[in-house]
Amino acid sequence: MRRLSYKTKEALAAYAFLAPNFLGFLAFTSIPVVVSFVMAFTHWNIFKQPFWVGLENFKNLLWFHREGGRLVPNDPFFWQYVYNTVYLMAGIPIGMAGSLIVALMMNQRMRGIVVFRTIYFLPTVCSGVALLILWKYLYNSDIGLINKTIRLVGAFIFAKKPVAIGATVFAALIFGVVVIGLIAALLAFLQWLSEKIRFTWPEGLFRALMFASGACIFILIGIYGRAFYNALSMFFAEPPDWLGTVQWAKPSLILMSLWGGLGGYNMILYLAALQGVPSSYYEAAEIDGAGPWQKFWAVTWPMISPTTFFILVMSIIGGFQGGFMIANVMTGGGPAGSTTTIEYYLYQTAFEKFNMGYACSIAWFLFAVILVITLLTWKLGGKVVTYE
Amino acid sequence: MNRVGLGIKVGFYIVLSIGAITMIIPFLWMVFTSIKQPHEVFSATGAIKFLPEHFFWRDTVINGEKIRAWWGNYPDAWREINFFRLYLSSIFVAVVGTFGQVLTSSMAAYAFARLSFPGRDKLFFGYLATMMIPSSVTMIPVFVIMKHLGWINTYQALIIPGLFSAYGTFMLRQFFMGLPVELEDAAKIDGSGYIGIWSGIILPLAKPALATLTTFTFMGFWGSYMWPLVVTVTEAPRTLPIGLRYFVGQHATNYTQLMAASVIALIPVLLLFVFNQRYFVEGIKLQGLKG
């Protein structure tokens, strides 16, 4: 037998190394994708034979019909769940900003930083059913830690009845400080923006705006102070049933995701990116006389922009696929369907109603959304993101 | 951002500490609840009782009333839901699944990173492209496959579909690409085969990436909820997350036992994380975002 050439030998070895993964990949990813696509065009209750229905599933899922002169979606639940899914992603930018700040702080050479890193990563490590059960307990309206704390704080602040003018002023002050802080942040952002686009605002306008809005707030609080105080004391005396009411359920879930999201994978990705910025860049900026803010905006921010972009895209893609475990463990999708996401709807359709064809069409809707986001960000990202 | 003043550092410490406390409090609440007695949980009004009333090691009698020892919740939870069985199932599925996935991924990654063969780049692009497909697209057909194979309610169904990961292959390939070629050449001159190079040189050098992937994969298997829920029907091969859910359904009010069960459920991932966490930043850093 002729000896195999070096190249052939290497190729054979490569195929052998690849084979287990590739075969599994074929069996559990590639072929199922094709099957799923075909299934999306069938009507299939799992107990009977599937039959071909063409585009009917997609028509039922995505299309509208006329009802008394108004356009009504064929599947109104689906659009409500799409809205829920998108709403629940509201925490993503806040979480990203938070994890960047945490990563910036953790990037310092400080004693005991490893302990902090470990603690901040804890929620991510422990994520899963146990943690969701814990949060369901924390959010419990009677015995949960959150409402117990709110009641305690309420008893402390609002112990003295009747309403004193001092308390009104106190509440107004707190509220005013928060609002003015927000306005100041907005103005700082505008200032930065105008510097960016090289447009100078008349400086007087800024101050006038700031004072005017601050004064407005104080006047309003002065007028509505008592009502405001009463509302506040009502809230503290009888805190809401977080997961049980339509208006609080989604914000509660967003808050929970922020708690876990500050120090998770995103923080580690940011940390890795920050450690990849060459220190010579900072030294050069320092020689040019840059302060910490200027160093951040001129060096750090552009250098870590690929990471920001990556995290944003991955979070959005993850967001569209999320919410199953939360709905199944914590809320059952309720109240009134307000925490049902696309993924949970898909699960219900497939494994509770056994409507496999329709479920596949939902899955392909998800895929289409993810594909569009990926392609769009790929196109746009190249313009926004700075690569080295 | 590498030189900051002492004042700022102190500020950082304070902010980080506040954050850390926020991260920790829910866990402490969980642990303390797990050693409380039921009546301590259900006082809706009144001050927060963060700590349990009694820290006894044995049951004691106070004013003629028997007080259950705090550790009593643990064995009770353990007995209540056939915990041992669920725990063993979970460990079995997670260990076998993780080992298998890291093995097949590292083999494939070695081929992609270090060997040349016809069709390599096209195949790798195919792997990358499928990472974009949501798991729910493939879940339904894979469920049908499991049904046809008669694997519903078996360990195979829980483990085998999770053994092959495009993500793991991608991540390890990125890491392998960054390793020096010289050692490999030296081994080739010494007469090492491909298996020898893969197991003797690449894998030992790739410890940070392997530790990171192992931890993430284990966490994935350990926390996996949807797939086990779909493919298991009876208690036999069920894993812990399903069991915990089961617990909530049957004993909706027993928070002390539930928290005890949850604490036990978190221990393996915590241990793995504590052992591997020093590799994480390194393991992810070299993975890179730019191909």
Side-chain angles (χ1 to χ4, degrees):
Chain A
M1 202 179 118
R2 200 162 57 87
R3 275 182 70 93
L4 294 167
S5 81
Y6 179 73
K7 266 200 140 163
T8 325
K9 239 172 128 178
E10 184 171 334
L12 284 177
Y15 289 131
F17 269 102
L18 203 58
N21 192 280
F22 182 71
L23 291 178
F25 188 69
L26 215 61
F28 297 113
T29 306
S30 307
I31 294 171
V33 167
V34 178
V35 173
S36 165
F37 189 70
V38 176
M39 278 167 75
F41 295 95
T42 63
H43 185 74
W44 187 17
N45 171 313
I46 191 127
F47 307 109
K48 295 176 201 149
Q49 285 293 314
F51 59 90
W52 190 263
V53 293
L55 283 170
E56 198 186 287
N57 284 330
F58 289 100
K59 212 180 133 195
N60 287 337
L61 190 70
L62 304 170
W63 215 243
F64 300 82
H65 65 270
R66 240 169 231 295
E67 212 175 84
R70 276 193 327 132
L71 274 180
V72 181
N74 291 343
D75 184 347
F77 292 115
F78 174 69
W79 292 107
Q80 189 200 345
Y81 301 156
V82 170
Y83 165 76
N84 290 344
T85 310
V86 175
Y87 188 124
L88 287 173
M89 288 195 270
I92 291 174
I94 310 168
M96 281 175 69
S99 48
L100 174 58
I101 291 169
V102 171
L104 281 170
M105 288 193 282
M106 295 226 185
N107 196 32
Q108 312 301 326
R109 261 186 228 105
M110 301 197 320
R111 226 173 262 276
I113 207 71
V114 177
V115 178
F116 280 122
R117 274 186 205 165
T118 311
I119 293 174
Y120 276 76
F121 204 60
L122 208 58
T124 313
V125 176
C126 297
S127 62
V129 171
L131 204 60
L132 293 182
I133 288 174
L134 170 67
W135 271 92
K136 194 180 173 186
Y137 173 36
L138 292 175
Y139 272 133
N140 185 300
S141 64
D142 294 324
I143 59 170
L145 178 63
I146 291 170
N147 278 5
K148 277 187 173 176
T149 311
I150 290 175
R151 282 198 204 96
L152 193 76
V153 171
F156 183 70
I157 298 179
F158 301 102
K160 293 189 203 88
K161 305 241 170 170
V163 180
I165 192 77
T168 314
V169 172
F170 175 69
L173 264 175
I174 290 177
F175 193 70
V177 165
V178 170
V179 172
I180 287 179
L182 285 178
I183 293 171
L186 180 73
L187 289 179
F189 173 73
L190 284 176
Q191 186 101 47
W192 171 79
L193 200 69
S194 63
E195 265 170 37
K196 268 268 173 207
I197 57 176
R198 298 187 194 294
F199 172 77
T200 8
W201 291 68
E203 207 167 301
L205 188 66
F206 260 119
R207 298 223 173 107
L209 247 170
M210 190 155 165
F211 281 120
S213 34
C216 282
I217 300 286
F218 271 106
I219 291 165
L220 278 176
I221 288 174
I223 295 170
Y224 295 109
R226 209 191 163 90
F228 178 73
Y229 177 87
N230 285 343
L232 216 60
S233 70
M234 281 281 282
F235 177 86
F236 277 100
E238 206 36 73
D241 179 4
W242 299 99
L243 296 174
T245 45
V246 173
Q247 67 266 41
W248 286 111
K250 279 194 277 262
S252 302
L253 296 184
I254 291 172
L255 205 69
M256 180 180 81
S257 73
L258 280 181
W259 172 81
L262 282 190
Y265 296 113
N266 294 351
M267 190 270 287
I268 298 243
L269 282 169
Y270 267 133
L271 206 54
L274 288 172
Q275 297 194 344
V277 183
S279 57
S280 58
Y281 286 26
Y282 291 122
E283 282 152 22
E286 254 168 57
I287 290 166
D288 290 344
W293 281 110
Q294 281 165 313
K295 270 198 284 183
F296 176 79
W297 288 114
V299 181
T300 315
W301 182 247
M303 289 296 287
I304 60 169
S305 63
T307 304
T308 304
F309 180 66
F310 176 78
I311 294 175
L312 183 69
V313 174
M314 294 312 279
S315 306
I316 293 174
I317 290 175
F320 270 105
Q321 299 177 64
F324 167 76
M325 220 187 334
I326 290 173
N328 193 282
V329 176
M330 292 178 78
T331 62
S338 63
T339 58
T340 304
T341 60
I342 306 174
E343 187 81 355
Y344 189 52
Y345 186 47
L346 190 147
Y347 171 84
Q348 286 180 320
T349 311
F351 299 107
E352 282 171 14
K353 294 178 203 145
F354 298 107
N355 207 340
M356 294 294 176
Y358 198 56
C360 281
S361 71
I362 300 173
W364 279 90
F365 169 82
L366 262 184
F367 180 55
V369 170
I370 288 167
L371 189 70
V372 168
I373 294 171
T374 314
L375 292 179
L376 265 182
T377 45
W378 222 249
K379 280 252 175 216
L380 295 174
K383 286 173 196 156
V384 184
V385 172
T386 329
Y387 288 98
E388 278 172 77
Chain B
M1 300 294 280
N2 36 13
R3 260 177 262 125
V4 290
L6 186 71
I8 296 175
K9 253 185 196 178
V10 171
F12 283 180
Y13 268 122
I14 294 170
V15 175
L16 283 178
S17 303
I18 293 171
I21 291 168
T22 325
M23 299 280 164
I24 289 254
I25 277 183
F27 289 107
L28 287 181
W29 183 248
M30 179 184 227
V31 172
F32 286 141
T33 303
S34 76
I35 56 178
K36 278 176 185 167
Q37 299 157 51
H39 78 264
E40 293 178 70
V41 175
F42 289 104
S43 64
T45 50
I48 304 167
K49 278 190 207 133
F50 206 78
L51 294 170
E53 277 169 21
H54 302 285
F55 278 101
F56 297 123
W57 288 89
R58 287 190 192 80
D59 296 352
T60 34
V61 179
I62 296 176
N63 296 335
E65 192 189 345
K66 194 180 173 198
I67 306 285
R68 193 85 168 88
W70 62 264
W71 47 265
N73 290 324
Y74 282 82
D76 284 353
W78 195 264
R79 277 193 294 271
E80 196 72 45
I81 53 164
N82 204 354
F83 211 91
F84 194 59
R85 181 70 201 246
L86 290 162
Y87 214 61
L88 280 186
S89 283
S90 260
I91 288 176
F92 177 71
V93 169
V95 167
V96 174
T98 305
F99 181 77
Q101 197 193 103
V102 174
L103 184 74
T104 65
S105 298
S106 69
M107 283 168 71
Y110 171 62
F112 277 129
R114 289 299 216 226
L115 304 175
S116 69
F117 56 92
R120 182 179 73 175
D121 294 340
K122 273 181 195 154
L123 202 59
F124 186 67
F125 184 76
Y127 266 68
L128 279 187
T130 50
M131 275 165 57
M132 222 168 49
I133 296 168
S135 57
S136 44
V137 168
T138 52
M139 187 178 65
I140 294 168
V142 173
F143 170 75
V144 175
I145 294 173
M146 295 292 130
K147 208 166 150 35
H148 277 281
L149 289 172
W151 282 5
I152 297 293
N153 222 25
T154 62
Y155 286 110
Q156 296 96 290
L158 289 173
I159 297 171
I160 289 175
L163 287 184
F164 315 99
S165 148
Y167 175 75
T169 308
F170 172 71
M171 180 189 159
L172 290 181
R173 173 197 177 255
Q174 298 305 94
F175 196 91
F176 291 173
M177 301 267 280
L179 296 175
V181 197
E182 288 78 16
L183 282 169
E184 222 175 307
D185 290 339
K188 265 183 206 162
I189 291 163
D190 289 347
S192 249
Y194 294 106
I195 296 178
I197 291 171
W198 167 72
S199 64
I201 293 172
I202 301 281
L203 291 188
L205 282 177
K207 247 190 203 158
L210 291 175
T212 310
L213 183 65
T214 302
T215 312
F216 288 171
T217 311
F218 188 89
M219 277 162 59
F221 272 105
W222 189 259
S224 174
Y225 183 64
M226 196 169 183
W227 181 245
L229 197 66
V230 166
V231 291
T232 60
V233 200
T234 59
E235 210 181 307
R238 275 198 165 153
T239 49
L240 207 49
I242 317 285
L244 286 179
R245 177 72 183 83
Y246 201 56
F247 205 101
V248 183
Q250 282 188 337
H251 314 276
T253 47
N254 203 337
Y255 279 98
T256 53
Q257 282 181 25
L258 187 57
M259 290 299 130
S262 303
V263 170
I264 302 173
L266 294 181
I267 289 171
V269 271
L270 265 181
L271 285 180
L272 195 66
F273 172 69
V274 168
F275 282 121
N276 283 340
Q277 67 96 16
R278 66 203 157 107
Y279 291 120
F280 278 4
V281 173
E282 204 183 341
I284 294 175
K285 186 161 60 184
L286 287 168
Q287 178 193 344
L289 302 168
K290 282 162 284 180

